[in-house]
Structures are given as structure tokens and as C-alpha cells.
Amino acid sequence: MKYINVIGAGLAGCEAAMQIANRGIDVRLYEMKPKKKSPAHHSNMFGELVCSNSLKAMRIESAAGLLKEEMRRMDSFLMKCADKCAVPAGGALAVDRYIFSQLVTDGINNHPKIKVINDEITEIPSDSVTIIATGPLTSDALADKIREMFGESLSFFDAAAPIVTADSVDMDFAFTQSRYDRGGEDDYINCPMNKAEYERFYNALVSAERAQLHDFDVNNPKVYEGCMPVEVMAQRGEGTLRFGPMKPVGLVDPKTGHRPWAVLQLRKENSTGTMYNLVGFQTNLKFPEQKRVFSLIPALHRAEFVRYGVMHRNTFICSPKVLNFDFSVKENNNMFFAGQITGVEGYMESASSGIIAGINALRVLDGKQTIAFPPTTMLGALSGYISDASVRKFQPMGANFGILPELENRPRDKKERAAAYAMRALDDLEEFISSNIKTED
């Protein structure tokens, strides 16, 4: 019997497993939960969203939106789940993370071609083609095996934002509005501050006590910019937050008729709108300090925290030295990696690599040549980035137009340029699907 091993039931692993199973090949999906969990995981379900419930922008004229549209056209299982449980988030696609994980879990468990094996993998299987999709929270035992194989592994630390109950937000000090009025008017709750309130909050934040971290140098941690703890960001200067997660541009406080000095936005965490997360407020402060400091924001003075922010290890391999464009290992084409362990950064970026790894692992199993997605697509550009041998200081990368080849007739207008990138990508993807994917189904 032919089958493919997939290790890890996160976003990349579930996407890869479904791409393979939907093409009629058996999958053995290994997942260590519920027997063992990483410090950042809470649920026993698959496809758990740890940091945020946002999957970034929806517009196809944005890099993140283009990637999601490409995934839809590749019949992405994860995108189907996400679209079914979307919650209002302005111009972003955000999901009810519980429903999302439930949909992913049910889809995997009910597929006749997928066998779930709840066990921790400490040795990489050699009985068949294998995809390692254990993510940035790879268990110590397996991480050690990966280091033994490749001689190097990089790590940094990721942070998650707190979540508060909706009814504990004091709306006398808040207002609902999407930035620049994009999306629904109640997609975000905005918590404004004047100059004095912000300075009081800022001083408390930079002096607050942080939780102890293990397994790394607390005086010199490697923290990825995309999930920078808010207290670390604040230490760069008093104005940093006002140009980052607390920027007030595009917002007007109806009580004053003016733009606030600083604003914290709260985004719906679930479809019923009973919980909200603090946008951009990933943190490693001690739990009592989070309560004390964040309650200094007027709208949160009586906030009830249902989850405090946490910080955890995030591990990735030096992919340009290890992987090919198809996410296979250069020294062993029967072994693939997928997800954030490869250095693609972001939920959908992780899932998209599962599409590429899954399709190509199946081709290897069938004795066929692997295929490369067009470099003009976001799927192809991400796989090109993680396998680019010219990259010297490899760091995680999310979807962005900078990794796409330049346009032949580059519009000067930014919006027109983004639209041109998207149109070219989708046209090239459709031709690629017609020539390479439909012929094998």
C-alpha cells in the first residue's frame, strides 16, 4: 500500500495531508496532542491558531490577499475552513479560532484516506515519503534530530496577545470604527488615549516586570519583528508605539471630533463578538503586570482578561542550505518540510507551503518530477525565497510584493502596481493549474 507520512497537524500539516488524500493516496498523520502539548498550545484540536485570529488582508491587491486567493484556486482546505468561520475585521480576514480548528479537525478525522496517529515522533520515519510540518514549536526530541541531520537550526521567540471579554470594555471611553472606514463600522473597538494618558501607560509598560524565559539568553533574545513584544518595541522610544500598533491615523474619536493621541484597537476574537484581542499587543509581561499595565488604558480600566499574552520558542531551519524549491531536502528527496519551520512566516504562508509540499511529495511517491509554481505567483515566490542559495542571513519571510519579479511596465501609482502584480500572478497561476494540476487529477 502506498502512503505518505505527515508529521504535525498544524496548518501546513493538515493542508498537505488533505492535498494528498484528496488525490486518492493514503496519509499517516502524526500528531502528539493530546498526549503532549507545547507551552503555547491550549486546545486538543488540529490547526490551532496560537498568536492571533487574523489571517491578514483580504484584498487581492495586497500580498496577503493575493496569497489567499491563489490558495483558493489551488482548492485549499484551510481556506475553505477560514471562509466558513470569518468574523468582521475591516479589510482583514479574521476567524473564530475555535470554529476554525473544529472545522479543520473534523475534516481531517472524517477523511477516509487519512489515518491520525496520536503520538510524538522522535525519529524521522524512513518507510515512505515524509513531510515534516511540526512548526515553530517542534518538540525538543525531534528538534534535536533535525539538528543532527543538518548541523544547524535557528530559533527566535514568538509572542501572543491577550484577549478580553467584550462586556468588560468600558465603551464610555471607546468607540467603534475601522481605520479609514474600511469594512464594517463595528469591526474594531478603538481605545483612545490623550497625551497624558499615553505617557502614563508608556512609563508603566517599559518598567513592568517580564516573565522568565527558558532555553535562551534573556539579555539578547532573537525576537522576530512581526511578533515583537509590545514592551520590547516600546523601549525603542516613546513614539514607537504611536507609529506602530497604537497609531491613530485614519481614526476620529466621535467624542472629540479629532484624531486621538494614541489608540489601541480591539478585534473580534470569535463570531459571537464576546471576546476581543488586543491588536499588536503580543507580550511577555508577567500576568499580574499585564492586568495592571493594560488596565491603565481608559477603556480597559475594568477589563476581564480571558487569556494573557505568552511568549514561546519559535524554531526554523536554514532552508536555503537545506531545501529545494519544492520543499524537499536537497540530500534526500523523499523527505519534505512544510510550514513555519521552513522560514515562511504567517498562518496562510504556512498553510500554502503545505500545498506545495503535499503535491510534490505525491509526485515523488509516483516517481514523477516535482513541479515549481510560477515565480510571479506568491506561492512560487515564497518557495523561491526559502530555497534561494544566495540568501546569506536567512530570516523568516511572509507574503510581500518585494519577493515577486519586477513588472515589465511598472505603474507609478502604488495601487495600480499592486493590482498589476495580482493580475499577473493569477493569470500565470491559472495557466500553471491548467498545464500541471488538472492533468494529474
Side-chain angles (χ1 to χ4, degrees):
M1 181 183 73
K2 294 200 301 185
Y3 61 89
I4 292 176
N5 298 310
V6 177
I7 306 175
L11 301 181
C14 289
E15 186 67 67
M18 196 62 79
Q19 291 285 332
I20 296 164
N22 283 343
R23 288 170 168 81
I25 296 298
D26 288 293
V27 177
R28 294 181 179 179
L29 178 60
Y30 293 86
E31 170 56 50
M32 68 181 187
K33 295 192 301 183
K35 291 184 179 180
K36 183 177 180 179
K37 295 178 184 175
S38 76
H41 284 117
H42 303 284
S43 168
N44 290 333
M45 294 188 292
F46 304 153
E48 183 177 356
L49 304 181
V50 175
C51 284
S52 166
N53 70 328
S54 174
L55 307 183
K56 302 179 184 176
M58 286 192 294
R59 296 177 297 111
I60 63 170
E61 296 84 9
S62 68
L66 173 59
L67 176 63
K68 287 192 284 291
E69 180 58 26
E70 290 179 7
M71 292 173 65
R72 289 187 181 97
R73 298 191 184 197
M74 289 301 301
D75 197 30
S76 166
F77 167 60
L78 271 297
M79 283 308 308
K80 291 177 183 177
C81 293
D83 288 336
K84 286 179 181 177
C85 61
V87 298
L93 173 59
V95 299
D96 182 312
R97 71 175 83 196
Y98 177 84
I99 297 176
F100 175 79
S101 291
Q102 189 66 66
L103 289 169
V104 174
T105 304
D106 290 346
I108 293 292
N109 283 331
N110 293 331
H111 200 293
K113 288 291 183 178
I114 300 176
K115 179 181 179 181
V116 177
I117 302 170
N118 294 114
D119 205 0
E120 180 185 3
I121 292 296
T122 58
E123 296 283 346
I124 298 172
S126 58
D127 56 337
S128 185
V129 176
T130 296
I131 300 173
I132 301 171
T134 47
L137 304 172
T138 298
S139 67
D140 290 341
L142 185 56
D144 288 341
K145 284 295 176 184
I146 293 170
R147 289 190 189 94
E148 287 178 18
M149 294 180 65
F150 304 120
E152 77 175 281
S153 178
L154 307 176
S155 64
F156 55 88
F157 279 72
D158 229 354
I163 298 173
V164 298
T165 61
D167 58 8
S168 70
V169 179
D170 191 339
M171 294 304 296
D172 287 341
F173 298 94
F175 62 94
T176 57
Q177 182 189 2
S178 292
R179 203 179 301 277
Y180 298 111
D181 293 319
R182 294 172 180 165
E185 64 178 19
D186 63 344
D187 286 0
Y188 290 87
I189 295 177
N190 300 282
C191 306
M193 284 185 279
N194 59 34
K195 188 172 185 292
E197 291 165 343
Y198 174 78
E199 289 175 348
R200 181 177 63 155
F201 163 77
Y202 172 82
N203 290 328
L205 178 63
V206 295
S207 61
E209 189 175 1
R210 302 180 194 179
Q212 183 179 358
L213 295 172
H214 303 284
D215 300 331
F216 85 119
D217 179 6
V218 293
N219 295 316
N220 187 30
K222 292 181 179 179
V223 180
Y224 181 58
E225 290 284 335
C227 276
M228 177 74 66
V230 66
E231 64 272 11
V232 174
M233 189 185 304
Q235 288 187 324
R236 295 179 173 180
E238 188 174 302
T240 304
L241 298 183
R242 294 184 59 245
F243 290 92
M246 302 189 76
K247 60 180 180 288
V249 296
L251 297 169
V252 176
D253 187 343
K255 296 179 178 64
T256 65
H258 300 290
R259 185 173 74 184
W261 182 257
V263 173
L264 167 65
Q265 287 198 305
L266 308 179
R267 181 177 56 228
K268 285 182 181 178
E269 176 63 26
N270 58 356
S271 57
T272 56
T274 59
M275 297 185 295
Y276 279 74
N277 63 61
L278 281 59
V279 177
F281 263 48
Q282 298 87 354
T283 182
N284 187 48
L285 296 182
K286 288 188 172 182
F287 291 176
E289 290 289 79
Q290 292 183 42
K291 172 69 173 175
R292 178 182 69 86
V293 175
F294 298 149
S295 294
L296 292 174
I297 299 171
L300 300 184
H301 69 96
R302 64 184 188 200
E304 177 185 345
F305 290 79
V306 295
R307 188 192 74 186
Y308 287 106
V310 294
M311 193 170 183
H312 54 85
R313 190 186 71 191
N314 196 340
T315 302
F316 61 97
I317 59 177
C318 189
S319 290
K321 293 185 178 180
V322 175
L323 301 182
N324 297 309
F325 65 88
D326 53 12
F327 288 85
S328 67
V329 174
K330 291 181 179 180
E331 304 300 324
N332 182 358
N333 290 340
N334 283 334
M335 184 186 301
F336 289 75
F337 281 83
Q340 291 193 44
I341 196 171
T342 68
V344 294
E345 197 285 318
Y347 287 146
M348 289 298 97
E349 288 86 344
S350 179
S352 72
S353 70
I355 295 176
I356 300 171
I359 289 173
N360 281 308
L362 183 57
R363 293 181 71 87
V364 168
L365 187 73
D366 289 340
K368 299 177 181 178
Q369 287 287 327
T370 58
I371 51 177
F373 282 69
T376 51
T377 64
M378 202 58 68
L379 284 162
L382 284 169
S383 64
Y385 173 78
I386 64 97
S387 59
D388 185 355
S390 67
V391 175
R392 291 289 175 257
K393 294 183 179 180
F394 183 67
Q395 286 291 318
M397 179 70 70
N400 68 89
F401 287 130
I403 61 175
L404 295 177
E406 188 55 87
L407 294 160
E408 290 185 11
N409 299 305
R410 187 173 185 268
R412 296 184 64 181
D413 181 78
K414 186 176 180 180
K415 291 183 178 179
E416 291 180 4
R417 190 161 62 245
Y421 275 125
M423 184 178 298
R424 181 184 68 175
L426 296 177
D427 286 345
D428 289 354
L429 181 63
E430 284 300 317
E431 182 178 345
F432 171 82
I433 292 172
S434 179
S435 300
N436 296 278
I437 305 300
K438 290 182 178 178
T439 56
E440 68 178 31
D441 289 346

